[in-house]
Structures are given as structure tokens and as C-alpha cells.
Amino acid sequence: MKKLIIAALLVVSMTSFAQDSKGMEKKQHRAEMEKLTPEQRNQLMLKKMTLDLDLNAKQQDQMKQVIMEQSKKREAMREAHKADKKEMTSDERFAMKNKMLDDQIAMKAKMKNILSPEQFEKWDAMKKNQHHRKEMHQRRGMHERNKKEEIKK
């Protein structure tokens, strides 16, 4: 009986340790990416897209411009958010989400013009997969936060 309990505790501790190390790897990756300049991040993103979508030279030049525009917009939004730390009203939140969706629609139209139909289909699938993974990560984080709050009570 003691051996069974010890084995169960060992398995539980090892699995929780393995999960923690995966989280640490992601945090390290994010920290490494933050150390890069925006130009370096853009270049890496372009190369990854070139590999994933098999972009030609003309498409690479067009994508370089699109990625640079997106990066500048993202940095401007990040700076504006840092400067204005107050809680957003529902109207401000609606306006921000509406603008983000308009930007996504515009980005999709640009991508349709740049990529071939096969490449666009692959890019769209990649974006959906990325969105799904992000959504799952957020759900898991909320679930873990709820567990911690229940434990505190």
C-alpha cells in the first residue's frame, strides 16, 4: 500500500514538473524575442512565412512591407496602452475591438492580393490554428486562476 501511494505521488510530481518546464520554455522564448529589435523580429517572421508558404522574391518584398506596417501599428498600440493605464469603458473597449477587426479584414485583403490561392488557404489555416492555440492557452490560464482562487477561499 505504501509503495502504491509513493508511486502515485512520484507520478503526480513528475507530471507537474514537466508541465512547469514547458511553461518556462515559453517564457524564455518570449524573453528572447523581446530582446530582439523590431527589425530582427520582422525579418524572422518573414523568413518563417517564406518557409511555410514558399514565397517568391516579389511576395517576400510585399510581405516585408506588410509585416513592417503591422509591427509599427502593434508597437504604437502597445505604447498607447502603457501610457493610458486606466480601466477602459465599454465604449472604448468596443471601439478598440472594432478597429482591431477592421485591421484584420484589411490584412486578409492584403494577403489575398499578395498570395496565390493555395498559399492564402495555407496562411488562413495557420492563422486559425494560431488563434485556436491562443484561445486554449487563455482558457487554461483562466481555469488555473479559478482553481487558485478556490484554494485561497
Side-chain angles (χ1 to χ4, degrees):
M1 185 70 178
K2 286 182 184 179
K3 289 181 181 180
L4 181 64
I5 292 172
I6 291 173
L9 287 173
L10 184 62
V11 169
V12 169
S13 64
M14 289 179 73
T15 56
S16 65
F17 180 75
Q19 290 174 355
D20 289 344
S21 67
K22 288 178 185 176
M24 292 299 286
E25 289 174 10
K26 287 181 181 180
K27 287 180 183 178
Q28 288 174 343
H29 177 70
R30 179 175 287 168
E32 289 173 10
M33 288 301 283
E34 288 177 358
K35 290 179 186 176
L36 299 174
T37 65
E39 292 80 21
Q40 289 172 327
R41 284 192 300 260
N42 293 350
Q43 187 176 11
L44 291 176
M45 189 181 300
L46 178 63
K47 285 187 178 188
K48 183 172 180 353
M49 288 183 77
T50 300
L51 287 172
D52 291 343
L53 301 174
D54 195 29
L55 301 177
N56 62 34
K58 181 182 176 188
Q59 288 173 323
Q60 287 180 25
D61 289 339
Q62 292 171 324
M63 284 305 305
K64 187 176 186 178
Q65 295 300 319
V66 170
I67 291 170
M68 194 170 15
E69 289 172 18
Q70 291 292 95
S71 178
K72 286 179 183 177
K73 282 183 185 178
R74 195 171 30 255
E75 287 297 319
M77 283 181 64
R78 190 174 292 142
E79 291 301 319
H81 186 67
K82 279 184 181 179
D84 189 23
K85 294 213 179 218
K86 67 178 172 101
E87 187 69 27
M88 294 175 70
T89 66
S90 61
D91 290 337
E92 290 172 333
R93 191 174 294 113
F94 172 76
M96 182 186 74
K97 288 187 179 206
N98 197 27
K99 183 184 181 312
M100 286 175 60
L101 289 172
D102 287 342
D103 289 345
Q104 287 177 6
I105 292 168
M107 177 67 168
K108 199 168 192 175
K110 286 179 189 177
M111 295 303 282
K112 269 188 178 178
N113 289 332
I114 294 171
L115 301 175
S116 70
E118 297 84 24
Q119 289 172 323
F120 179 77
E121 197 172 295
K122 190 172 182 180
W123 174 80
D124 199 33
M126 286 171 25
K127 291 303 261 185
K128 286 178 182 174
N129 184 28
Q130 182 182 22
H131 179 72
H132 177 70
R133 285 193 340 226
K134 182 179 177 183
E135 204 172 72
M136 293 302 290
H137 179 73
Q138 287 174 342
R139 283 184 189 166
R140 185 180 58 198
M142 289 178 72
H143 181 67
E144 289 173 1
R145 272 186 250 128
N146 289 341
K147 277 186 176 178
K148 288 179 183 177
E149 289 174 5
E150 287 177 11
I151 291 171
K152 287 180 183 177
K153 291 177 183 179

